[in-house]
C-alpha cells in the first residue's frame, strides 16, 4: 500500500500555488548521495514507492535509504463524464508537493558508485528532471 498520512486535519485541501525554490529539505543531512528535484510537481505516493523499491532492489537491502518526502496533500478528482458543479470531487490520491532543490532520497553506508547507480534507477521512475548530489568531503 502506498504512503499516506494516518490522520489529517482536513479531508480535502485547496490546490494552492507551488512557487519559489526549496528553502528547507535542500541539504544532504543523513546520507552521502542524494537525489535532488529540479522541477515543480505533485509527486504521487505510488511513484515515490516505485522509486523506493527500485533503490532497495539495486542496493540488495545493504546500506541505508532515507525518503525525505512524504505525500501529505490529498488530491481530489471528479469521476469521468460528470457535469460541472455539485461540489468538489472525492480524494483520489495523496501527493507530495515538490519544489526545485528539494532532496527526495538519500543513500548512505554503501559504495558511492552503487548508490549513484541506485539513484539513476530511481531517476527513471520519476516523472520530473532530477540530479544526483554528493555530500561535500570535509578536508
Amino acid at each position: 500500500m502506498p504512503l499516506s498520512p494516518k490522520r489529517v486535519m482536513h479531508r480535502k485541501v485547496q490546490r494552492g500555488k507551488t512557487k519559489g525554490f526549496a528553502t528547507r529539505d535542500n541539504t544532504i543531512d543523513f546520507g552521502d548521495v542524494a537525489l535532488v528535484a529540479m522541477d515543480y510537481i505533485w509527486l504521487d505516493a505510488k511513484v515515490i514507492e516505485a522509486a523506493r523499491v527500485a533503490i532497495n532492489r539495486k542496493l540488495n537491502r545493504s546500506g541505508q535509504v532515507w525518503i525525505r518526502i512524504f505525500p501529505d496533500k490529498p488530491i481530489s478528482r471528479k469521476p469521468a463524464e460528470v457535469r460541472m458543479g455539485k461540489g468538489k470531487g472525492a480524494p483520489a490520491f495523496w501527493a507530495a508537493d515538490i519544489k526545485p532543490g528539494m532532496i527526495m532520497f538519500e543513500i548512505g553506508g554503501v559504495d558511492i558508485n552503487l548508490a549513484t547507480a541506485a539513484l539513476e534507477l530511481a531517476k527513471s521512475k520519476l516523472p520530473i528532471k532530477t540530479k544526483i548530489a554528493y555530500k561535500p568531503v570535509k578536508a
Side-chain angles (χ1 to χ4, degrees):
M1 185 171 153
L3 295 166
S4 65
K6 286 190 180 110
R7 295 173 57 214
V8 287
M9 194 175 286
H10 301 288
R11 199 169 71 92
K12 300 176 189 175
V13 299
Q14 293 185 339
R15 296 169 71 88
K17 295 253 193 306
T18 308
K19 56 188 178 186
F21 294 95
T23 54
R24 63 178 88 187
D25 300 330
N26 58 358
T27 56
I28 302 174
D29 294 330
F30 306 106
D32 304 315
V33 186
L35 193 64
V36 184
M38 301 299 287
D39 287 328
Y40 300 100
I41 194 169
W42 288 341
L43 208 54
D44 193 340
K46 290 184 286 189
V47 175
I48 297 170
E49 179 66 11
R52 183 196 67 81
V53 167
I55 290 170
N56 282 337
R57 285 201 177 140
K58 186 69 178 179
L59 295 180
N60 257 341
R61 290 177 39 193
S62 62
Q64 198 165 3
V65 178
W66 290 271
I67 305 171
R68 298 281 304 273
I69 53 177
F70 187 79
D72 56 358
K73 183 183 184 86
I75 307 297
S76 60
R77 292 270 184 271
K78 292 186 77 125
E81 298 180 16
V82 171
R83 292 184 181 183
M84 296 295 284
K86 304 286 188 276
K88 189 174 169 95
F93 61 93
W94 293 90
D97 207 351
I98 305 296
K99 290 182 174 186
M102 208 175 240
I103 303 276
M104 298 192 291
F105 296 95
E106 287 187 38
I107 298 177
V110 291
D111 180 48
I112 296 285
N113 296 329
L114 181 61
T116 304
L119 289 178
E120 284 288 343
L121 204 58
K123 220 175 170 180
S124 67
K125 304 287 180 192
L126 299 172
I128 57 169
K129 198 183 290 186
T130 57
K131 70 177 181 183
I132 295 173
Y134 301 91
K135 193 168 204 166
V137 180
K138 291 179 181 165

